[in-house]
Amino acid sequence: MSSVGKADQKAAIDAASWLFNVVTSVGIILVNKALMATYGFSFATTLTGLHFATTTLLTTILRWLGYIQATQLPLSELLKFVLFANFSIVGMNVSLMWNSVGFYQIAKLSMIPVSCFLEVVLDHVRYSRDTKLSIIVVLLGVAVCTVTDVSVNAKGFIAAVIAIWSTALQQYYVHFLQRKYSLGSFNLLGHTAPAQAASLLLVGPFLDYWLTSKRVDTFNYTFISLVFIILSCTIAVGTNLSQFICIGRFTAVSFQVLGHMKTILVLILGFIFFGKEGLNIQVVVGMIVAIVGMIWYGNASSKPGGKERRSYSTVGTKSQKHGALSESSDADEKV
C-alpha cells in the first residue's frame, strides 16, 4: 500500500475511533443522567463496577472465541493501573459531592495541564507555541461555558487534587502500557477490567452509602430502572474500549483536549432533551471558542514539531518504540 493510502487509512481509523468514543461517551452520560435524576439510582461507584463487570464478561467471551489473543501484563503494572483508575473514579465522585459544580469543572479542566506535565517529564515531549496556545483556548472556552459558581473547602480541594492526578496518571498509563507491552485495547481491557470490577463492586456499595446515605441493596428496582442499568452497562463497554483505543492511538493530552467536544455535545443535547435553562450568550460563546481551540489544536499538533517526543523514557531505540506503537495500532484495527 502506498504512503498516501496508508495515511488515508490511518486518518479514517482515527476519525472512526474519535466518533466511537464521542457517541458512546455522550450516550452513557445521557443514560446515567436519566437513571440517576429520573429514577433515583444514585450509586455511581457501584454502577461503574457493574460497567467493568460487563466489560470483563465480553472480553472473556471474545478470548474464549479466539478473537483476543492471550497476552502478558506484569502484576505490578496491573496493580498500579488499577490503583490509579480506582482513585480516579472515587476521587471524582467525592470531589463532586464536596465541591461546587464550578470548582468540579475547574478540576476536570486541570487534568489537561497535568497530563501535559506528565508527558513532558516522563516522555520528554515538546510542544510548539501554537499547540500550547490552542490548549489554552480550549481551556478558556470550556471554562466559560461550564464554570459558574466556584466555592472550595479543604477536604474538597484534597479530593479534587487526588482525582486530577490519579485520572491523569491512569490515562498516561493506558498509552504507556499499550506502547511498552504491544497490547491492543481489548487485550489491555482484558487485563484491567476484572480487577477493577472486583475492587469497585467490593468497595462501591459502602462508598455509595457514605456519599448518599442510601443502600444499593434496598433500592426499588423497577423494570424501567433495570432496563436503564443494563443499557448503561452495555454502552460502557464501548466507552471503555474507545477510551483505550483513542489514548493508545494518540496520547492522554490529545484525548483530554479533543475529548472536550463531548462536553460541548452533552451541553447541547442537555438543552435539547432536558430544557433550555442555563442556555445564554456566555455558554454559546464558550462553546464556539472551545471548538475553535480544538480545531486549532488538531491542526497545530499534527504539524512537524507541533508535538514531538525528543527521547523515550523507557529502554530501547526510537525505531523499536515505533514498532511497538504500530503493533498496538494494528491490534486495534483488527478488533
Side-chain angles (χ1 to χ4, degrees):
M1 186 182 292
S2 66
S3 59
V4 176
K6 288 183 177 180
D8 290 342
Q9 183 185 37
K10 182 182 183 301
I13 295 174
D14 288 348
S17 301
W18 279 116
L19 181 61
F20 183 29
N21 181 253
V22 168
V23 170
T24 54
S25 297
V26 173
I28 199 170
I29 289 172
L30 295 177
V31 169
N32 287 351
K33 184 173 182 178
L35 178 61
M36 294 181 180
T38 306
Y39 301 104
F41 190 86
S42 55
F43 312 101
T45 309
T46 303
L47 182 62
T48 306
L50 293 173
H51 290 169
F52 283 108
T54 308
T55 304
T56 299
L57 177 62
L58 178 62
T59 55
T60 302
I61 293 173
L62 290 177
R63 184 180 293 110
W64 179 66
L65 292 174
Y67 289 104
I68 302 178
Q69 295 180 346
T71 54
Q72 297 296 321
L73 180 65
L75 180 61
S76 59
E77 301 278 35
L78 175 62
L79 292 177
K80 281 189 283 187
F81 179 89
V82 172
L83 182 68
F84 295 147
N86 287 357
F87 264 101
S88 168
I89 294 165
V90 173
M92 293 303 293
N93 289 341
V94 174
S95 176
L96 182 59
M97 183 186 75
W98 284 348
N99 294 312
S100 65
V101 175
F103 186 78
Y104 175 78
Q105 291 294 343
I106 290 176
K108 288 179 66 177
L109 291 175
S110 300
M111 292 174 193
I112 293 179
V114 171
S115 294
C116 290
F117 173 79
L118 290 176
E119 287 192 359
V120 169
V121 172
L122 300 178
D123 281 348
H124 306 287
V125 169
R126 181 174 58 193
Y127 298 93
S128 68
R129 184 187 64 177
D130 279 1
T131 303
K132 294 174 184 174
L133 290 174
S134 66
I135 291 174
I136 293 173
V137 171
V138 172
L139 292 172
L140 178 63
V142 177
V144 167
C145 65
T146 61
V147 176
T148 51
D149 61 310
V150 179
S151 60
V152 63
N153 53 70
K155 63 180 184 180
F157 179 79
I158 293 172
V161 170
I162 292 173
I164 292 165
W165 279 94
S166 57
T167 301
L169 284 165
Q170 182 257 344
Q171 293 185 354
Y172 170 82
Y173 230 56
V174 168
H175 186 74
F176 171 79
L177 292 177
Q178 291 193 49
R179 189 179 69 207
K180 183 175 181 180
Y181 297 102
S182 300
L183 296 172
S185 300
F186 255 126
N187 294 116
L188 186 55
L189 265 180
H191 288 292
T192 61
Q196 283 192 262
S199 55
L200 289 173
L201 288 176
L202 181 65
V203 175
F206 299 100
L207 180 65
D208 289 332
Y209 179 74
W210 178 53
L211 293 174
T212 65
S213 298
K214 298 177 182 178
R215 289 172 45 180
V216 67
D217 60 313
T218 60
F219 178 75
N220 181 27
Y221 292 94
T222 62
F223 174 77
I224 190 65
S225 65
L226 287 173
V227 168
F228 270 89
I229 290 172
I230 294 171
L231 182 60
S232 176
C233 291
T234 303
I235 299 175
V237 175
T239 305
N240 293 332
L241 176 61
S242 64
Q243 182 194 48
F244 280 28
I245 290 175
C246 287
I247 296 177
R249 295 188 68 83
F250 310 101
T251 63
V253 172
S254 295
F255 181 75
Q256 284 281 348
V257 173
L258 300 179
H260 277 296
M261 176 58 71
K262 294 175 288 189
T263 304
I264 305 300
L265 286 175
V266 168
L267 285 172
I268 294 172
L269 292 174
F271 294 137
I272 293 174
F273 293 112
F274 300 102
K276 294 182 172 56
E277 292 182 12
L279 181 61
N280 52 49
I281 188 65
Q282 175 184 325
V283 173
V284 174
V285 169
M287 289 179 180
I288 294 172
V289 171
I291 292 171
V292 169
M294 291 173 204
I295 295 172
W296 187 9
Y297 174 84
N299 184 55
S301 62
S302 63
K303 289 181 178 179
K307 181 180 178 182
E308 59 185 10
R309 184 174 284 108
R310 289 173 289 182
S311 63
Y312 287 93
S313 57
T314 53
V315 179
T317 64
K318 188 171 184 178
S319 61
Q320 288 173 323
K321 288 298 181 184
H322 179 74
L325 275 171
S326 299
E327 291 172 18
S328 178
S329 296
D330 290 343
D332 286 333
E333 289 171 25
K334 294 174 184 176
V335 171

